[in-house]
Amino acid sequence: MGRRSRLLALAWLALTGGTFAAHAMTRSMVEMICPYDGVKFTFSAQNSGTSLDQQLDRMPVGAIESPWPLASCPTNGFVFVKAKYEDDELERLRPLILSPEFQGIRSEMPYYRAAWIVGHTGASHAAVSNLLLQATWEAGRADLVERLKAPGGPTRIGSDSVRRLMAEGTTGERYTRYATELLARLAVDVADTTRSAEERMSDRLLTGEILRRLGRFEEADRHFATMVGDLAPDSKEATLAAFQRQLIAAKDRGLHLVSEALGKK
């Protein structure tokens, strides 16, 4: 099994509670209380994890759950974006959380709801985009785990079936919706000249990755082609863009690692 398969397999172990995950990622059960209704619930918190690489969409890979899980109330859908809230903060949030608009997205992924909350409380555009990116990781993981556990699915990590799922990429409705929404936000972030050139270039690379993962190959190739003149030929960014164009030419929507793109063994 190559580096890509090994490291992505570690991610699967972390998600499915395998032996490696038990030794390299620690969790604890935390008793939580929902604001606004006092309902108690138990949350499986991640205390530590080991990231060995990252996917081309920036998601850390290894014995770690990415994104770091957020506690979420099972009743009103409130997401604990922060570990601790003051009473006055919760009171300011009350009308937002109990609003019909937020209650209408209560079944969405926690990071999607977190993006909505911070987007309505004055966070920067880029900060909201980062939370939405993490929501795509959540949705992608949920989609892949569901397919992994489906009847007739693979029975061991590293099997041909698991590698096939990785190669197929993420095709779920929720991932597609979140990723499409993220693309619109990234266009705004890239155009924001108050941000650093490095941040904007990173978001341009991410835009192309999301287009590829969505199977929008022609758009993705045009996107990377327009970047060529802005990149030093021997730069990391140029190498990533060239690797992406190879994947696009092969109509590849799968999960790939940064180290794979850079030719690291």
Side-chain angles (χ1 to χ4, degrees):
M1 189 188 299
R3 176 185 173 84
R4 174 192 172 214
S5 295
R6 286 198 304 272
L7 290 181
L8 288 175
L10 292 180
W12 282 104
L13 280 166
L15 296 178
T16 56
T19 303
F20 182 86
H23 291 285
M25 179 178 69
T26 61
R27 308 186 75 101
S28 61
M29 302 305 292
V30 181
E31 294 297 322
M32 308 285 293
I33 300 177
C34 290
Y36 316 125
D37 60 19
V39 170
K40 296 180 180 180
F41 69 100
T42 303
F43 170 59
S44 177
Q46 182 172 224
N47 301 320
S48 66
T50 302
S51 173
L52 303 176
D53 206 328
Q54 66 178 22
Q55 292 180 173
L56 293 174
D57 66 354
R58 304 180 189 166
M59 189 183 92
V61 169
I64 188 170
E65 183 175 343
S66 299
W68 210 266
L70 297 176
S72 173
C73 289
T75 50
N76 56 45
F78 177 79
V79 177
F80 289 81
V81 182
K82 303 193 307 180
K84 180 174 175 57
Y85 287 86
E86 299 299 330
D87 291 343
D88 61 335
E89 288 183 279
L90 291 173
E91 281 307 306
R92 287 195 298 271
L93 286 171
R94 180 188 291 270
L96 279 176
I97 301 306
L98 301 183
S99 69
E101 186 179 358
F102 182 78
Q103 291 304 304
I105 64 167
R106 192 173 59 192
S107 63
E108 301 289 357
M109 291 291 179
Y111 270 86
Y112 187 89
R113 283 177 273 145
W116 189 95
I117 293 170
V118 303
H120 284 74
T121 53
S124 71
H125 195 276
V128 177
S129 298
N130 185 55
L131 288 170
L132 184 56
L133 169 62
Q134 293 177 83
T136 69
W137 302 347
E138 278 185 312
R141 181 177 71 242
D143 174 58
L144 292 171
V145 169
E146 182 179 350
R147 289 154 61 197
L148 176 67
K149 295 181 176 180
T155 57
R156 63 184 181 86
I157 300 299
S159 70
D160 289 342
S161 295
V162 170
R163 289 193 290 273
R164 175 177 55 77
L165 291 178
M166 294 172 180
E168 289 174 355
T170 308
T171 57
E173 179 275 335
R174 186 169 279 170
Y175 175 85
T176 299
R177 180 159 45 85
Y178 292 0
T180 301
E181 189 173 331
L182 176 61
L183 283 175
R185 296 194 63 88
L186 288 173
V188 176
D189 295 330
V190 168
D192 182 358
T193 56
T194 66
R195 302 175 69 231
S196 70
E198 292 77 12
E199 289 173 322
R200 294 164 69 198
M201 179 58 69
S202 178
D203 281 349
R204 290 176 72 184
L205 289 168
L206 178 60
T207 295
E209 163 69 358
I210 297 298
L211 286 169
R212 180 187 68 81
R213 291 277 299 277
L214 289 173
R216 293 162 59 172
F217 298 118
E218 290 186 7
E219 289 178 74
D221 194 58
R222 286 197 302 271
H223 176 81
F224 283 113
T226 62
M227 294 178 62
V228 172
D230 300 329
L231 302 173
D234 59 348
S235 66
K236 172 184 175 181
E237 291 76 15
T239 301
L240 290 171
F243 180 74
Q244 286 278 16
R245 295 192 78 184
Q246 293 174 11
L247 297 177
I248 292 163
K251 299 284 193 291
D252 185 334
R253 300 182 55 162
L255 310 180
H256 292 272
L257 300 172
V258 170
S259 62
E260 180 189 1
L262 299 180
K264 296 181 180 179
K265 303 299 185 183

